[in-house]
PDB file of all heavy atoms in Angstrom:
ATOM      1  N   LEU Z   1     151.992  64.145  -3.708  1.00 41.00           N
ATOM      2  CA  LEU Z   1     152.357  65.476  -4.201  1.00 41.00           C
ATOM      3  C   LEU Z   1     151.795  65.712  -5.590  1.00 41.00           C
ATOM      4  O   LEU Z   1     151.311  66.806  -5.909  1.00 41.00           O
ATOM      5  CB  LEU Z   1     153.878  65.628  -4.214  1.00 41.00           C
ATOM      6  CG  LEU Z   1     154.542  65.761  -2.837  1.00 41.00           C
ATOM      7  CD1 LEU Z   1     156.055  65.720  -2.984  1.00 41.00           C
ATOM      8  CD2 LEU Z   1     154.109  67.064  -2.166  1.00 41.00           C
ATOM      9  N   ARG Z   2     151.850  64.658  -6.404  1.00 48.00           N
ATOM     10  CA  ARG Z   2     151.299  64.800  -7.751  1.00 48.00           C
ATOM     11  C   ARG Z   2     149.808  65.106  -7.701  1.00 48.00           C
ATOM     12  O   ARG Z   2     149.288  65.937  -8.460  1.00 48.00           O
ATOM     13  CB  ARG Z   2     151.540  63.528  -8.565  1.00 48.00           C
ATOM     14  CG  ARG Z   2     152.995  63.345  -8.985  1.00 48.00           C
ATOM     15  CD  ARG Z   2     153.174  62.029  -9.687  1.00 48.00           C
ATOM     16  NE  ARG Z   2     154.560  61.828 -10.113  1.00 48.00           N
ATOM     17  CZ  ARG Z   2     155.037  60.692 -10.576  1.00 48.00           C
ATOM     18  NH1 ARG Z   2     154.233  59.625 -10.649  1.00 48.00           N
ATOM     19  NH2 ARG Z   2     156.290  60.597 -10.959  1.00 48.00           N
ATOM     20  N   THR Z   3     149.139  64.405  -6.812  1.00 46.00           N
ATOM     21  CA  THR Z   3     147.692  64.641  -6.658  1.00 46.00           C
ATOM     22  C   THR Z   3     147.420  66.068  -6.215  1.00 46.00           C
ATOM     23  O   THR Z   3     146.501  66.744  -6.703  1.00 46.00           O
ATOM     24  CB  THR Z   3     147.100  63.656  -5.640  1.00 46.00           C
ATOM     25  OG1 THR Z   3     147.355  62.318  -6.083  1.00 46.00           O
ATOM     26  CG2 THR Z   3     145.606  63.873  -5.489  1.00 46.00           C
ATOM     27  N   LEU Z   4     148.251  66.559  -5.274  1.00 41.00           N
ATOM     28  CA  LEU Z   4     148.070  67.920  -4.761  1.00 41.00           C
ATOM     29  C   LEU Z   4     148.303  68.939  -5.871  1.00 41.00           C
ATOM     30  O   LEU Z   4     147.534  69.887  -6.041  1.00 41.00           O
ATOM     31  CB  LEU Z   4     149.033  68.159  -3.599  1.00 41.00           C
ATOM     32  CG  LEU Z   4     148.982  69.562  -2.953  1.00 41.00           C
ATOM     33  CD1 LEU Z   4     147.590  69.856  -2.410  1.00 41.00           C
ATOM     34  CD2 LEU Z   4     150.023  69.661  -1.845  1.00 41.00           C
ATOM     35  N   PHE Z   5     149.398  68.764  -6.628  1.00 43.00           N
ATOM     36  CA  PHE Z   5     149.692  69.695  -7.720  1.00 43.00           C
ATOM     37  C   PHE Z   5     148.600  69.665  -8.785  1.00 43.00           C
ATOM     38  O   PHE Z   5     148.229  70.702  -9.348  1.00 43.00           O
ATOM     39  CB  PHE Z   5     151.047  69.361  -8.351  1.00 43.00           C
ATOM     40  CG  PHE Z   5     152.222  69.793  -7.520  1.00 43.00           C
ATOM     41  CD1 PHE Z   5     153.277  68.923  -7.269  1.00 43.00           C
ATOM     42  CD2 PHE Z   5     152.277  71.075  -6.974  1.00 43.00           C
ATOM     43  CE1 PHE Z   5     154.354  69.325  -6.493  1.00 43.00           C
ATOM     44  CE2 PHE Z   5     153.362  71.476  -6.205  1.00 43.00           C
ATOM     45  CZ  PHE Z   5     154.394  70.604  -5.954  1.00 43.00           C
ATOM     46  N   LEU Z   6     148.079  68.496  -9.060  1.00 45.00           N
ATOM     47  CA  LEU Z   6     147.009  68.378 -10.050  1.00 45.00           C
ATOM     48  C   LEU Z   6     145.764  69.120  -9.587  1.00 45.00           C
ATOM     49  O   LEU Z   6     145.110  69.826 -10.364  1.00 45.00           O
ATOM     50  CB  LEU Z   6     146.695  66.895 -10.299  1.00 45.00           C
ATOM     51  CG  LEU Z   6     145.580  66.621 -11.309  1.00 45.00           C
ATOM     52  CD1 LEU Z   6     145.939  67.194 -12.682  1.00 45.00           C
ATOM     53  CD2 LEU Z   6     145.332  65.109 -11.419  1.00 45.00           C
ATOM     54  N   ALA Z   7     145.422  68.992  -8.302  1.00 46.00           N
ATOM     55  CA  ALA Z   7     144.255  69.687  -7.758  1.00 46.00           C
ATOM     56  C   ALA Z   7     144.437  71.199  -7.833  1.00 46.00           C
ATOM     57  O   ALA Z   7     143.514  71.942  -8.197  1.00 46.00           O
ATOM     58  CB  ALA Z   7     144.015  69.255  -6.312  1.00 46.00           C
ATOM     59  N   LEU Z   8     145.655  71.677  -7.506  1.00 44.00           N
ATOM     60  CA  LEU Z   8     145.919  73.115  -7.581  1.00 44.00           C
ATOM     61  C   LEU Z   8     145.832  73.615  -9.014  1.00 44.00           C
ATOM     62  O   LEU Z   8     145.299  74.701  -9.282  1.00 44.00           O
ATOM     63  CB  LEU Z   8     147.297  73.409  -7.000  1.00 44.00           C
ATOM     64  CG  LEU Z   8     147.438  73.289  -5.475  1.00 44.00           C
ATOM     65  CD1 LEU Z   8     148.896  73.412  -5.065  1.00 44.00           C
ATOM     66  CD2 LEU Z   8     146.586  74.352  -4.779  1.00 44.00           C
ATOM     67  N   ALA Z   9     146.347  72.822  -9.940  1.00 45.00           N
ATOM     68  CA  ALA Z   9     146.299  73.216 -11.347  1.00 45.00           C
ATOM     69  C   ALA Z   9     144.857  73.324 -11.833  1.00 45.00           C
ATOM     70  O   ALA Z   9     144.493  74.239 -12.579  1.00 45.00           O
ATOM     71  CB  ALA Z   9     147.074  72.216 -12.198  1.00 45.00           C
ATOM     72  N   LEU Z  10     144.030  72.363 -11.417  1.00 41.00           N
ATOM     73  CA  LEU Z  10     142.624  72.408 -11.818  1.00 41.00           C
ATOM     74  C   LEU Z  10     141.910  73.613 -11.237  1.00 41.00           C
ATOM     75  O   LEU Z  10     141.072  74.240 -11.897  1.00 41.00           O
ATOM     76  CB  LEU Z  10     141.930  71.111 -11.380  1.00 41.00           C
ATOM     77  CG  LEU Z  10     142.345  69.850 -12.131  1.00 41.00           C
ATOM     78  CD1 LEU Z  10     141.712  68.609 -11.489  1.00 41.00           C
ATOM     79  CD2 LEU Z  10     141.930  69.946 -13.603  1.00 41.00           C
ATOM     80  N   LEU Z  11     142.244  73.970  -9.998  1.00 44.00           N
ATOM     81  CA  LEU Z  11     141.645  75.156  -9.380  1.00 44.00           C
ATOM     82  C   LEU Z  11     142.046  76.426 -10.115  1.00 44.00           C
ATOM     83  O   LEU Z  11     141.220  77.320 -10.356  1.00 44.00           O
ATOM     84  CB  LEU Z  11     142.044  75.245  -7.907  1.00 44.00           C
ATOM     85  CG  LEU Z  11     141.377  74.258  -6.946  1.00 44.00           C
ATOM     86  CD1 LEU Z  11     142.025  74.339  -5.567  1.00 44.00           C
ATOM     87  CD2 LEU Z  11     139.875  74.545  -6.845  1.00 44.00           C
ATOM     88  N   LEU Z  12     143.339  76.528 -10.466  1.00 43.00           N
ATOM     89  CA  LEU Z  12     143.800  77.703 -11.204  1.00 43.00           C
ATOM     90  C   LEU Z  12     143.154  77.790 -12.568  1.00 43.00           C
ATOM     91  O   LEU Z  12     142.773  78.873 -13.030  1.00 43.00           O
ATOM     92  CB  LEU Z  12     145.326  77.657 -11.344  1.00 43.00           C
ATOM     93  CG  LEU Z  12     146.129  77.925 -10.064  1.00 43.00           C
ATOM     94  CD1 LEU Z  12     147.605  77.634 -10.312  1.00 43.00           C
ATOM     95  CD2 LEU Z  12     145.941  79.372  -9.629  1.00 43.00           C
ATOM     96  N   LEU Z  13     143.022  76.647 -13.232  1.00 44.00           N
ATOM     97  CA  LEU Z  13     142.384  76.620 -14.544  1.00 44.00           C
ATOM     98  C   LEU Z  13     140.936  77.071 -14.452  1.00 44.00           C
ATOM     99  O   LEU Z  13     140.446  77.846 -15.277  1.00 44.00           O
ATOM    100  CB  LEU Z  13     142.469  75.213 -15.134  1.00 44.00           C
ATOM    101  CG  LEU Z  13     141.865  75.029 -16.533  1.00 44.00           C
ATOM    102  CD1 LEU Z  13     142.590  75.915 -17.543  1.00 44.00           C
ATOM    103  CD2 LEU Z  13     141.934  73.568 -16.953  1.00 44.00           C
ATOM    104  N   ALA Z  14     140.249  76.601 -13.429  1.00 45.00           N
ATOM    105  CA  ALA Z  14     138.848  76.991 -13.254  1.00 45.00           C
ATOM    106  C   ALA Z  14     138.722  78.480 -12.977  1.00 45.00           C
ATOM    107  O   ALA Z  14     137.830  79.159 -13.485  1.00 45.00           O
ATOM    108  CB  ALA Z  14     138.228  76.189 -12.101  1.00 45.00           C
ATOM    109  N   ALA Z  15     139.652  79.001 -12.175  1.00 45.00           N
ATOM    110  CA  ALA Z  15     139.605  80.436 -11.851  1.00 45.00           C
ATOM    111  C   ALA Z  15     139.860  81.274 -13.092  1.00 45.00           C
ATOM    112  O   ALA Z  15     139.227  82.317 -13.300  1.00 45.00           O
ATOM    113  CB  ALA Z  15     140.624  80.766 -10.770  1.00 45.00           C
ATOM    114  N   CYS Z  16     140.813  80.839 -13.932  1.00 44.00           N
ATOM    115  CA  CYS Z  16     141.143  81.606 -15.132  1.00 44.00           C
ATOM    116  C   CYS Z  16     140.027  81.562 -16.164  1.00 44.00           C
ATOM    117  O   CYS Z  16     139.831  82.503 -16.928  1.00 44.00           O
ATOM    118  CB  CYS Z  16     142.436  81.086 -15.757  1.00 44.00           C
ATOM    119  SG  CYS Z  16     143.890  81.417 -14.719  1.00 44.00           S
ATOM    120  N   SER Z  17     139.323  80.437 -16.216  1.00 46.00           N
ATOM    121  CA  SER Z  17     138.286  80.283 -17.235  1.00 46.00           C
ATOM    122  C   SER Z  17     136.928  80.799 -16.781  1.00 46.00           C
ATOM    123  O   SER Z  17     135.994  80.872 -17.570  1.00 46.00           O
ATOM    124  CB  SER Z  17     138.159  78.805 -17.633  1.00 46.00           C
ATOM    125  OG  SER Z  17     137.793  78.024 -16.496  1.00 46.00           O
ATOM    126  N   ALA Z  18     136.798  81.160 -15.509  1.00 45.00           N
ATOM    127  CA  ALA Z  18     135.506  81.664 -15.020  1.00 45.00           C
ATOM    128  C   ALA Z  18     135.194  82.996 -15.666  1.00 45.00           C
ATOM    129  O   ALA Z  18     136.076  83.837 -15.861  1.00 45.00           O
ATOM    130  CB  ALA Z  18     135.555  81.824 -13.494  1.00 45.00           C
ATOM    131  N   PRO Z  19     133.945  83.222 -16.050  1.00 50.00           N
ATOM    132  CA  PRO Z  19     133.584  84.495 -16.678  1.00 50.00           C
ATOM    133  C   PRO Z  19     133.789  85.655 -15.716  1.00 50.00           C
ATOM    134  O   PRO Z  19     133.547  85.542 -14.519  1.00 50.00           O
ATOM    135  CB  PRO Z  19     132.098  84.320 -17.023  1.00 50.00           C
ATOM    136  CG  PRO Z  19     131.612  83.248 -16.095  1.00 50.00           C
ATOM    137  CD  PRO Z  19     132.780  82.338 -15.881  1.00 50.00           C
ATOM    138  N   THR Z  20     134.284  86.778 -16.274  1.00 48.00           N
ATOM    139  CA  THR Z  20     134.462  87.983 -15.456  1.00 48.00           C
ATOM    140  C   THR Z  20     133.092  88.549 -15.108  1.00 48.00           C
ATOM    141  O   THR Z  20     132.259  88.742 -15.998  1.00 48.00           O
ATOM    142  CB  THR Z  20     135.267  89.041 -16.231  1.00 48.00           C
ATOM    143  OG1 THR Z  20     136.518  88.469 -16.612  1.00 48.00           O
ATOM    144  CG2 THR Z  20     135.488  90.287 -15.385  1.00 48.00           C
ATOM    145  N   PRO Z  21     132.833  88.774 -13.836  1.00 49.00           N
ATOM    146  CA  PRO Z  21     131.511  89.290 -13.479  1.00 49.00           C
ATOM    147  C   PRO Z  21     131.279  90.670 -14.062  1.00 49.00           C
ATOM    148  O   PRO Z  21     132.193  91.490 -14.156  1.00 49.00           O
ATOM    149  CB  PRO Z  21     131.554  89.340 -11.938  1.00 49.00           C
ATOM    150  CG  PRO Z  21     133.009  89.388 -11.600  1.00 49.00           C
ATOM    151  CD  PRO Z  21     133.706  88.606 -12.672  1.00 49.00           C
ATOM    152  N   GLU Z  22     130.047  90.912 -14.506  1.00 48.00           N
ATOM    153  CA  GLU Z  22     129.693  92.217 -15.041  1.00 48.00           C
ATOM    154  C   GLU Z  22     129.751  93.264 -13.930  1.00 48.00           C
ATOM    155  O   GLU Z  22     129.317  93.003 -12.812  1.00 48.00           O
ATOM    156  CB  GLU Z  22     128.274  92.185 -15.628  1.00 48.00           C
ATOM    157  CG  GLU Z  22     128.140  91.341 -16.884  1.00 48.00           C
ATOM    158  CD  GLU Z  22     128.850  91.972 -18.067  1.00 48.00           C
ATOM    159  OE1 GLU Z  22     128.930  93.213 -18.110  1.00 48.00           O
ATOM    160  OE2 GLU Z  22     129.334  91.224 -18.927  1.00 48.00           O
ATOM    161  N   PRO Z  23     130.290  94.458 -14.232  1.00 51.00           N
ATOM    162  CA  PRO Z  23     130.308  95.499 -13.203  1.00 51.00           C
ATOM    163  C   PRO Z  23     128.896  95.920 -12.823  1.00 51.00           C
ATOM    164  O   PRO Z  23     128.010  95.984 -13.680  1.00 51.00           O
ATOM    165  CB  PRO Z  23     131.064  96.650 -13.879  1.00 51.00           C
ATOM    166  CG  PRO Z  23     130.933  96.386 -15.351  1.00 51.00           C
ATOM    167  CD  PRO Z  23     130.880  94.893 -15.496  1.00 51.00           C
ATOM    168  N   THR Z  24     128.687  96.170 -11.564  1.00 52.00           N
ATOM    169  CA  THR Z  24     127.369  96.591 -11.113  1.00 52.00           C
ATOM    170  C   THR Z  24     127.105  98.013 -11.590  1.00 52.00           C
ATOM    171  O   THR Z  24     127.909  98.913 -11.330  1.00 52.00           O
ATOM    172  CB  THR Z  24     127.287  96.552  -9.568  1.00 52.00           C
ATOM    173  OG1 THR Z  24     127.584  95.225  -9.142  1.00 52.00           O
ATOM    174  CG2 THR Z  24     125.910  96.964  -9.090  1.00 52.00           C
ATOM    175  N   PRO Z  25     126.009  98.244 -12.330  1.00 63.00           N
ATOM    176  CA  PRO Z  25     125.750  99.597 -12.814  1.00 63.00           C
ATOM    177  C   PRO Z  25     125.495 100.549 -11.656  1.00 63.00           C
ATOM    178  O   PRO Z  25     124.904 100.171 -10.640  1.00 63.00           O
ATOM    179  CB  PRO Z  25     124.484  99.422 -13.681  1.00 63.00           C
ATOM    180  CG  PRO Z  25     123.842  98.162 -13.187  1.00 63.00           C
ATOM    181  CD  PRO Z  25     124.963  97.284 -12.723  1.00 63.00           C
ATOM    182  N   GLU Z  26     125.973 101.777 -11.817  1.00 75.00           N
ATOM    183  CA  GLU Z  26     125.742 102.772 -10.785  1.00 75.00           C
ATOM    184  C   GLU Z  26     124.266 103.142 -10.746  1.00 75.00           C
ATOM    185  O   GLU Z  26     123.624 103.222 -11.795  1.00 75.00           O
ATOM    186  CB  GLU Z  26     126.587 104.014 -11.058  1.00 75.00           C
ATOM    187  CG  GLU Z  26     128.078 103.791 -10.926  1.00 75.00           C
ATOM    188  CD  GLU Z  26     128.854 105.082 -11.060  1.00 75.00           C
ATOM    189  OE1 GLU Z  26     128.219 106.148 -11.087  1.00 75.00           O
ATOM    190  OE2 GLU Z  26     130.089 105.011 -11.123  1.00 75.00           O
ATOM    191  N   PRO Z  27     123.727 103.358  -9.560  1.00 89.00           N
ATOM    192  CA  PRO Z  27     122.320 103.749  -9.484  1.00 89.00           C
ATOM    193  C   PRO Z  27     122.109 105.123 -10.103  1.00 89.00           C
ATOM    194  O   PRO Z  27     123.022 105.954 -10.134  1.00 89.00           O
ATOM    195  CB  PRO Z  27     122.042 103.763  -7.977  1.00 89.00           C
ATOM    196  CG  PRO Z  27     123.384 103.968  -7.344  1.00 89.00           C
ATOM    197  CD  PRO Z  27     124.368 103.277  -8.243  1.00 89.00           C
ATOM    198  N   ARG Z  28     120.913 105.335 -10.631  1.00 95.00           N
ATOM    199  CA  ARG Z  28     120.605 106.642 -11.199  1.00 95.00           C
ATOM    200  C   ARG Z  28     120.675 107.726 -10.126  1.00 95.00           C
ATOM    201  O   ARG Z  28     120.331 107.497  -8.970  1.00 95.00           O
ATOM    202  CB  ARG Z  28     119.196 106.659 -11.805  1.00 95.00           C
ATOM    203  CG  ARG Z  28     119.024 105.862 -13.065  1.00 95.00           C
ATOM    204  CD  ARG Z  28     117.745 106.266 -13.790  1.00 95.00           C
ATOM    205  NE  ARG Z  28     116.569 106.271 -12.955  1.00 95.00           N
ATOM    206  CZ  ARG Z  28     115.779 105.230 -12.720  1.00 95.00           C
ATOM    207  NH1 ARG Z  28     116.088 104.061 -13.246  1.00 95.00           N
ATOM    208  NH2 ARG Z  28     114.713 105.338 -11.962  1.00 95.00           N
ATOM    209  N   TRP Z  29     121.104 108.885 -10.540  1.00 97.00           N
ATOM    210  CA  TRP Z  29     121.111 110.047  -9.658  1.00 97.00           C
ATOM    211  C   TRP Z  29     119.669 110.488  -9.410  1.00 97.00           C
ATOM    212  O   TRP Z  29     118.889 110.654 -10.343  1.00 97.00           O
ATOM    213  CB  TRP Z  29     121.902 111.173 -10.309  1.00 97.00           C
ATOM    214  CG  TRP Z  29     121.766 112.493  -9.609  1.00 97.00           C
ATOM    215  CD1 TRP Z  29     122.092 112.776  -8.321  1.00 97.00           C
ATOM    216  CD2 TRP Z  29     121.277 113.713 -10.177  1.00 97.00           C
ATOM    217  NE1 TRP Z  29     121.832 114.099  -8.044  1.00 97.00           N
ATOM    218  CE2 TRP Z  29     121.335 114.697  -9.165  1.00 97.00           C
ATOM    219  CE3 TRP Z  29     120.794 114.073 -11.443  1.00 97.00           C
ATOM    220  CZ2 TRP Z  29     120.927 116.013  -9.384  1.00 97.00           C
ATOM    221  CZ3 TRP Z  29     120.398 115.374 -11.662  1.00 97.00           C
ATOM    222  CH2 TRP Z  29     120.463 116.331 -10.641  1.00 97.00           C
ATOM    223  N   LEU Z  30     119.310 110.660  -8.151  1.00 98.00           N
ATOM    224  CA  LEU Z  30     117.952 111.064  -7.786  1.00 98.00           C
ATOM    225  C   LEU Z  30     118.028 112.337  -6.946  1.00 98.00           C
ATOM    226  O   LEU Z  30     118.260 112.282  -5.743  1.00 98.00           O
ATOM    227  CB  LEU Z  30     117.251 109.944  -7.003  1.00 98.00           C
ATOM    228  CG  LEU Z  30     117.127 108.600  -7.732  1.00 98.00           C
ATOM    229  CD1 LEU Z  30     116.528 107.549  -6.814  1.00 98.00           C
ATOM    230  CD2 LEU Z  30     116.273 108.764  -8.997  1.00 98.00           C
ATOM    231  N   PRO Z  31     117.851 113.503  -7.567  1.00 98.00           N
ATOM    232  CA  PRO Z  31     117.961 114.762  -6.818  1.00 98.00           C
ATOM    233  C   PRO Z  31     116.842 114.904  -5.791  1.00 98.00           C
ATOM    234  O   PRO Z  31     115.683 114.604  -6.072  1.00 98.00           O
ATOM    235  CB  PRO Z  31     117.861 115.838  -7.903  1.00 98.00           C
ATOM    236  CG  PRO Z  31     117.158 115.174  -9.040  1.00 98.00           C
ATOM    237  CD  PRO Z  31     117.548 113.729  -8.987  1.00 98.00           C
ATOM    238  N   ARG Z  32     117.192 115.363  -4.621  1.00 98.00           N
ATOM    239  CA  ARG Z  32     116.251 115.484  -3.514  1.00 98.00           C
ATOM    240  C   ARG Z  32     115.609 116.870  -3.491  1.00 98.00           C
ATOM    241  O   ARG Z  32     116.165 117.836  -4.011  1.00 98.00           O
ATOM    242  CB  ARG Z  32     116.974 115.235  -2.185  1.00 98.00           C
ATOM    243  CG  ARG Z  32     117.774 113.954  -2.143  1.00 98.00           C
ATOM    244  CD  ARG Z  32     116.919 112.732  -2.253  1.00 98.00           C
ATOM    245  NE  ARG Z  32     116.035 112.581  -1.104  1.00 98.00           N
ATOM    246  CZ  ARG Z  32     115.111 111.623  -0.977  1.00 98.00           C
ATOM    247  NH1 ARG Z  32     114.935 110.757  -1.950  1.00 98.00           N
ATOM    248  NH2 ARG Z  32     114.376 111.538   0.098  1.00 98.00           N
ATOM    249  N   PRO Z  33     114.450 116.993  -2.875  1.00 98.00           N
ATOM    250  CA  PRO Z  33     113.803 118.309  -2.776  1.00 98.00           C
ATOM    251  C   PRO Z  33     114.719 119.344  -2.130  1.00 98.00           C
ATOM    252  O   PRO Z  33     115.438 119.053  -1.178  1.00 98.00           O
ATOM    253  CB  PRO Z  33     112.574 118.027  -1.902  1.00 98.00           C
ATOM    254  CG  PRO Z  33     112.259 116.588  -2.146  1.00 98.00           C
ATOM    255  CD  PRO Z  33     113.587 115.919  -2.311  1.00 98.00           C
ATOM    256  N   GLY Z  34     114.682 120.547  -2.682  1.00 97.00           N
ATOM    257  CA  GLY Z  34     115.484 121.635  -2.146  1.00 97.00           C
ATOM    258  C   GLY Z  34     116.882 121.743  -2.711  1.00 97.00           C
ATOM    259  O   GLY Z  34     117.625 122.654  -2.342  1.00 97.00           O
ATOM    260  N   THR Z  35     117.273 120.850  -3.610  1.00 98.00           N
ATOM    261  CA  THR Z  35     118.602 120.899  -4.211  1.00 98.00           C
ATOM    262  C   THR Z  35     118.748 122.150  -5.073  1.00 98.00           C
ATOM    263  O   THR Z  35     117.960 122.367  -5.994  1.00 98.00           O
ATOM    264  CB  THR Z  35     118.858 119.646  -5.076  1.00 98.00           C
ATOM    265  OG1 THR Z  35     118.683 118.478  -4.285  1.00 98.00           O
ATOM    266  CG2 THR Z  35     120.258 119.666  -5.659  1.00 98.00           C
ATOM    267  N   ALA Z  36     119.744 122.963  -4.795  1.00 98.00           N
ATOM    268  CA  ALA Z  36     119.953 124.201  -5.558  1.00 98.00           C
ATOM    269  C   ALA Z  36     120.479 123.875  -6.964  1.00 98.00           C
ATOM    270  O   ALA Z  36     121.177 122.877  -7.162  1.00 98.00           O
ATOM    271  CB  ALA Z  36     120.926 125.110  -4.824  1.00 98.00           C
ATOM    272  N   TRP Z  37     120.161 124.761  -7.915  1.00 98.00           N
ATOM    273  CA  TRP Z  37     120.549 124.482  -9.292  1.00 98.00           C
ATOM    274  C   TRP Z  37     120.781 125.755 -10.076  1.00 98.00           C
ATOM    275  O   TRP Z  37     120.376 126.843  -9.675  1.00 98.00           O
ATOM    276  CB  TRP Z  37     119.493 123.621  -9.987  1.00 98.00           C
ATOM    277  CG  TRP Z  37     118.166 124.315 -10.260  1.00 98.00           C
ATOM    278  CD1 TRP Z  37     117.406 125.033  -9.373  1.00 98.00           C
ATOM    279  CD2 TRP Z  37     117.463 124.345 -11.502  1.00 98.00           C
ATOM    280  NE1 TRP Z  37     116.267 125.487  -9.987  1.00 98.00           N
ATOM    281  CE2 TRP Z  37     116.278 125.083 -11.298  1.00 98.00           C
ATOM    282  CE3 TRP Z  37     117.711 123.802 -12.761  1.00 98.00           C
ATOM    283  CZ2 TRP Z  37     115.338 125.294 -12.308  1.00 98.00           C
ATOM    284  CZ3 TRP Z  37     116.771 124.015 -13.769  1.00 98.00           C
ATOM    285  CH2 TRP Z  37     115.599 124.752 -13.540  1.00 98.00           C
ATOM    286  N   GLN Z  38     121.466 125.591 -11.230  1.00 98.00           N
ATOM    287  CA  GLN Z  38     121.630 126.643 -12.210  1.00 98.00           C
ATOM    288  C   GLN Z  38     121.130 126.112 -13.544  1.00 98.00           C
ATOM    289  O   GLN Z  38     121.412 124.962 -13.922  1.00 98.00           O
ATOM    290  CB  GLN Z  38     123.091 127.067 -12.327  1.00 98.00           C
ATOM    291  CG  GLN Z  38     123.458 127.898 -13.545  1.00 98.00           C
ATOM    292  CD  GLN Z  38     122.827 129.286 -13.581  1.00 98.00           C
ATOM    293  OE1 GLN Z  38     121.652 129.461 -13.227  1.00 98.00           O
ATOM    294  NE2 GLN Z  38     123.586 130.267 -14.006  1.00 98.00           N
ATOM    295  N   TRP Z  39     120.371 126.954 -14.245  1.00 98.00           N
ATOM    296  CA  TRP Z  39     119.824 126.598 -15.555  1.00 98.00           C
ATOM    297  C   TRP Z  39     120.387 127.582 -16.556  1.00 98.00           C
ATOM    298  O   TRP Z  39     119.991 128.743 -16.574  1.00 98.00           O
ATOM    299  CB  TRP Z  39     118.309 126.679 -15.495  1.00 98.00           C
ATOM    300  CG  TRP Z  39     117.572 126.006 -16.608  1.00 98.00           C
ATOM    301  CD1 TRP Z  39     118.046 125.075 -17.473  1.00 98.00           C
ATOM    302  CD2 TRP Z  39     116.192 126.202 -16.933  1.00 98.00           C
ATOM    303  NE1 TRP Z  39     117.055 124.672 -18.335  1.00 98.00           N
ATOM    304  CE2 TRP Z  39     115.920 125.346 -18.015  1.00 98.00           C
ATOM    305  CE3 TRP Z  39     115.187 127.000 -16.423  1.00 98.00           C
ATOM    306  CZ2 TRP Z  39     114.653 125.284 -18.607  1.00 98.00           C
ATOM    307  CZ3 TRP Z  39     113.924 126.931 -17.002  1.00 98.00           C
ATOM    308  CH2 TRP Z  39     113.655 126.084 -18.079  1.00 98.00           C
ATOM    309  N   GLN Z  40     121.339 127.130 -17.374  1.00 98.00           N
ATOM    310  CA  GLN Z  40     121.959 128.010 -18.360  1.00 98.00           C
ATOM    311  C   GLN Z  40     121.941 127.338 -19.725  1.00 98.00           C
ATOM    312  O   GLN Z  40     122.690 126.395 -19.977  1.00 98.00           O
ATOM    313  CB  GLN Z  40     123.402 128.378 -17.967  1.00 98.00           C
ATOM    314  CG  GLN Z  40     123.997 129.406 -18.928  1.00 98.00           C
ATOM    315  CD  GLN Z  40     125.463 129.680 -18.703  1.00 98.00           C
ATOM    316  OE1 GLN Z  40     126.029 129.373 -17.652  1.00 98.00           O
ATOM    317  NE2 GLN Z  40     126.106 130.263 -19.698  1.00 98.00           N
ATOM    318  N   LEU Z  41     121.109 127.863 -20.609  1.00 98.00           N
ATOM    319  CA  LEU Z  41     121.016 127.321 -21.957  1.00 98.00           C
ATOM    320  C   LEU Z  41     121.623 128.241 -22.999  1.00 98.00           C
ATOM    321  O   LEU Z  41     121.650 127.901 -24.185  1.00 98.00           O
ATOM    322  CB  LEU Z  41     119.543 127.047 -22.322  1.00 98.00           C
ATOM    323  CG  LEU Z  41     118.788 126.084 -21.416  1.00 98.00           C
ATOM    324  CD1 LEU Z  41     117.383 125.827 -21.963  1.00 98.00           C
ATOM    325  CD2 LEU Z  41     119.530 124.773 -21.226  1.00 98.00           C
TER     326      LEU Z  41
END
């Protein structure tokens, strides 16, 4: 049991210390031909 608890503790420690993955950046918006628009300056 001690061995099992030790293994679980090590797994939890590793999970907590693992770097948080960087969020995947959203792809750029690519407007398609024929997209309607308004131009107001």
Side-chain angles (χ1 to χ4, degrees):
L1 288 173
R2 287 176 180 170
T3 302
L4 179 59
F5 284 132
L6 179 61
L8 288 172
L10 290 173
L11 286 172
L12 288 171
L13 181 61
C16 292
S17 61
T20 303
E22 292 290 330
T24 302
E26 293 186 9
R28 289 197 309 273
W29 169 59
L30 301 175
R32 308 295 295 176
T35 304
W37 69 310
Q38 165 66 320
W39 196 17
Q40 186 187 343
L41 301 185

